[in-house]
Amino acid sequence: MNIVINWGINCYTGWGVVGINLLAQLASDPAWHPVSAQPFDSSMLMGMDPLRYPIFQRIINESNAWVYTDECVWIDPVGNDLRRPSVCEAKLKIGRVIVEKPDLPKAFVNLASFDKLLTGSTWNQEMLEAATGKEVKVIYEGIDPSLFCPGPRSGWFCPDLFYIFASGKVEFRKAQDVVLLAFKRFVQKHSEARLVTCWNSPFADIANGYKGLCDAPLWLESNGYLNVKRWAHDNGIDAAKVHDLGCFPNFVLPSVLREMDVMLAPSRVESCTSLPVKEAMACAVPVIYGLHTGMRDLGLKGLPLIHNEAISGSHEYFFPSNDIDWYESDPEEIDAQLEWVYQNREKARKQALSDSDFIRSTRTWAQHVTELKAWLKE
């Protein structure tokens, strides 16, 4: 059976990484013929090792040669506007609905044409089921344990420093402003601290002028990259203590994560269980994150921030106006968690290794696709 994924495949975005892993896992089963409905070529697989590449070259060739037929399973991406992006008919039409601030009044009508609805968290599931009256399946996103796993540090980074990692495209939802201000407070007490950021992305332009809770805004340079060091400097932080990694492929992320002492991810809302958080946990990095929305499905793994104040969600770019709560983490709790990791590195590492075992045994792409195939056959 043809199974068609109708969103962009790449190694730089969350949706792109999901697509890569779904195609890879489905391709190993002769009962399924996975193809991408979107343009797809090798430039979207930067950093992939040569052992995996031949499999994807076959998928690329078959995707580009595929001629539409309604004898297929078609999976559409559905975002906050809850609009169905395609008009194709199929034997089975799936809506993969991932939302942070959805236009719920439109959900009943806009999602009615799908045969099945799929999402990535119980928070999304409950919201969508209440709006549509339809059953919504939760299948958690995964990680590739052959890439994301514990390992030794390379020695390229100075071992005498304390590295705080933060990632994600810059937006109010992801709370990079909260991270920057937390680092400002922390580095005043611990001068050897360093903030390592992966905040540039293919969507860097949407963050031009972003401030959040900071006094000074973040600016986009003429080269298309956000000037993270300038943002730090303009907000009273020594720019030499901030390492901006730019934008790089997901395949090389494990070697970066293994150098980190802690990840700070106090996002204001998460539709799923956060791929970056799970990837860091899988590499045995202690992760501090806001315990709310989709993140509740992690079952208190990592170092959750318990005290979160309900706030109004963002109205920036594609977020519609509604009354769905987002959350602001308590700065004092963030500071306390960072301090605990700093003072208790061996305990933090031991706990992180246990969290890694959990992620690598229960949240993998192989398990995701096994559950997906069983659900599609129901």
Side-chain angles (χ1 to χ4, degrees):
M1 173 64 70
N2 288 314
I3 182 165
V4 185
I5 294 174
N6 189 29
W7 63 83
I9 307 299
N10 64 75
C11 55
Y12 292 98
T13 68
W15 277 93
V17 170
V18 170
I20 283 175
N21 285 281
L22 292 188
L23 290 172
Q25 294 295 329
L26 288 164
S28 66
D29 185 342
W32 295 94
H33 179 229
V35 294
S36 170
Q38 302 296 316
F40 187 25
D41 61 50
S42 59
S43 67
M44 301 169 185
L45 303 173
M46 296 294 293
M48 178 179 283
D49 66 72
L51 294 178
R52 299 168 196 247
Y53 185 78
I55 296 172
F56 271 91
Q57 188 58 62
R58 173 168 61 84
I59 297 172
I60 290 171
N61 294 341
E62 292 179 354
S63 295
N64 293 337
W66 183 70
V67 177
Y68 168 74
T69 169
D70 59 10
E71 281 297 308
C72 66
V73 174
W74 187 283
I75 307 180
D76 270 331
V78 183
N80 288 294
D81 59 5
L82 296 174
R83 293 177 182 171
R84 182 183 174 200
S86 74
V87 294
C88 293
E89 295 303 318
K91 184 174 182 179
L92 190 62
K93 294 179 290 186
I94 310 297
R96 186 174 188 269
V97 189
I98 306 297
V99 291
E100 297 92 13
K101 198 167 182 281
D103 193 350
L104 287 177
K106 297 181 179 178
F108 183 82
V109 174
N110 289 4
L111 300 179
S113 63
F114 288 109
D115 299 307
K116 289 175 176 283
L117 296 176
L118 171 66
T119 193
S121 73
T122 55
W123 181 65
N124 262 201
Q125 178 192 44
E126 291 165 359
M127 188 188 310
L128 293 166
E129 287 186 342
T132 65
K134 299 182 70 169
E135 181 179 350
V136 179
K137 176 69 173 179
V138 176
I139 304 180
Y140 298 123
E141 293 176 343
I143 57 96
D144 181 343
S146 70
L147 292 173
F148 294 94
C149 56
R153 295 188 174 188
S154 67
W156 289 101
F157 272 29
C158 176
D160 299 326
L161 302 178
F162 184 82
Y163 298 101
I164 302 171
F165 180 71
S167 67
K169 69 178 184 293
V170 177
E171 56 180 327
F172 185 73
R173 183 176 79 83
K174 283 292 188 180
Q176 283 86 356
D177 54 316
V178 175
V179 172
L180 195 68
L181 294 175
F183 178 71
K184 181 177 181 179
R185 297 189 299 271
F186 188 82
V187 78
Q188 289 172 351
K189 295 187 296 181
H190 304 290
S191 60
E192 73 276 26
R194 298 292 184 272
L195 178 62
V196 182
T197 65
C198 181
W199 288 345
N200 273 284
S201 76
F203 309 104
D205 59 309
I206 67 175
N208 191 34
Y210 175 76
K211 288 175 62 175
L213 301 177
C214 294
D215 292 329
L218 173 64
W219 296 114
L220 189 73
E221 297 292 339
S222 58
N223 62 5
Y225 281 86
L226 295 166
N227 194 331
V228 176
K229 283 180 169 288
R230 177 182 171 184
W231 194 29
H233 174 270
D234 290 349
N235 283 283
I237 300 169
D238 182 356
K241 297 186 177 183
V242 176
H243 299 282
D244 172 36
L245 301 179
C247 181
F248 57 89
N250 183 258
F251 295 107
V252 302
L253 180 58
S255 61
V256 173
L257 288 171
R258 295 184 190 112
E259 305 295 320
M260 300 297 109
D261 291 290
V262 64
M263 178 181 185
L264 181 55
S267 56
R268 293 179 168 105
V269 66
E270 288 290 347
S271 52
C272 300
T273 44
S274 178
L275 277 177
V277 164
K278 287 183 290 190
E279 289 167 345
M281 283 186 178
C283 290
V285 178
V287 182
I288 301 168
Y289 64 92
L291 183 64
H292 53 67
T293 56
M295 301 303 291
R296 295 191 182 103
D297 289 350
L298 277 180
L300 297 177
K301 297 299 179 182
L303 299 167
L305 299 166
I306 306 298
H307 304 293
N308 300 281
E309 180 183 358
I311 61 170
S312 297
S314 172
H315 291 173
E316 61 187 343
Y317 48 99
F318 52 77
F319 294 118
S321 177
N322 60 33
D323 58 358
I324 293 173
D325 287 336
W326 288 11
Y327 295 88
E328 194 78 66
S329 296
D330 179 2
E332 292 185 1
E333 187 178 12
I334 293 174
D335 295 350
Q337 290 281 37
L338 283 172
E339 187 67 25
W340 184 85
V341 175
Y342 179 84
Q343 299 292 349
N344 299 276
R345 299 185 206 187
E346 288 303 315
K347 288 183 180 179
R349 173 68 173 175
K350 185 176 180 180
Q351 179 179 328
L353 285 168
S354 175
D355 294 335
S356 173
D357 289 341
F358 169 79
I359 296 295
R360 290 181 294 114
S361 62
T362 67
R363 302 291 171 89
T364 68
W365 287 118
Q367 290 166 315
H368 178 101
V369 170
T370 296
E371 191 170 350
L372 175 66
K373 291 187 293 187
W375 176 62
L376 293 178
K377 293 176 181 177
E378 290 178 359

